[in-house]
Amino acid sequence: MGYQLGAIIINSTAGGILLSLLTGRPYPLSVLLMAGVALSYTLISGLRASVLTDVIQMFLILSIAFVLVPWVTSVSGEFHMISDHLGGVTGKYTDMFNPTYSRRPAIVKLPKYVIKNMIETA
């Protein structure tokens, strides 16, 4: 029970942050919308709705992985074109862990950026 409650809270919070940043809606309203959608389809159809949404999500992820990624790679000029330009336009930023470009890795900066935006919009 505790694990499920934690998962619901974390998923509603993460979805609320994304919805708030993408649509400009207030953060608390976005969290309530995310929780309301999950609650409504669970109350309407129970476990069957949960399994159906999981299957749809899996299909979308596999479609992106096996169709869209190879297509974008071939349209952009194959993999060498993508790998040659991962360092930015000038090629200066090839290593995101290099302290010359950043005091902390980008992975560490992302949560700080999200939390800062969440506080400013609330």
Side-chain angles (χ1 to χ4, degrees):
M1 173 89 177
Y3 171 76
Q4 292 171 342
L5 182 62
I8 291 169
I9 292 171
I10 290 170
N11 287 328
S12 296
T13 303
I17 290 170
L18 287 174
L19 189 63
S20 176
L21 290 174
L22 293 174
T23 64
R25 296 182 195 273
Y27 168 71
L29 176 64
S30 298
V31 171
L32 290 175
L33 283 172
M34 295 301 291
V37 167
L39 180 65
S40 65
Y41 74 71
T42 302
L43 289 176
I44 291 170
S45 297
L47 183 61
R48 181 173 291 185
S50 180
V51 170
L52 180 64
T53 58
D54 288 347
V55 168
I56 292 170
Q57 288 174 1
M58 181 190 69
F59 177 74
L60 290 173
I61 291 169
L62 290 176
S63 298
I64 290 171
F66 292 117
V67 175
L68 194 59
V69 171
W71 177 73
V72 169
T73 304
S74 67
V75 168
S76 67
E78 302 301 326
F79 186 72
H80 70 86
M81 188 68 151
I82 296 171
S83 64
D84 290 346
H85 294 90
L86 285 178
V89 176
T90 62
K92 179 179 177 183
Y93 304 103
T94 56
D95 183 13
M96 75 175 195
F97 295 107
N98 189 341
T100 306
Y101 312 127
S102 172
R103 291 189 182 173
R104 284 178 257 142
I107 305 256
V108 175
K109 287 186 173 185
L110 183 63
K112 179 181 175 185
Y113 171 76
V114 170
I115 291 170
K116 179 182 173 191
N117 283 337
M118 193 172 68
I119 291 171
E120 289 175 358
T121 58

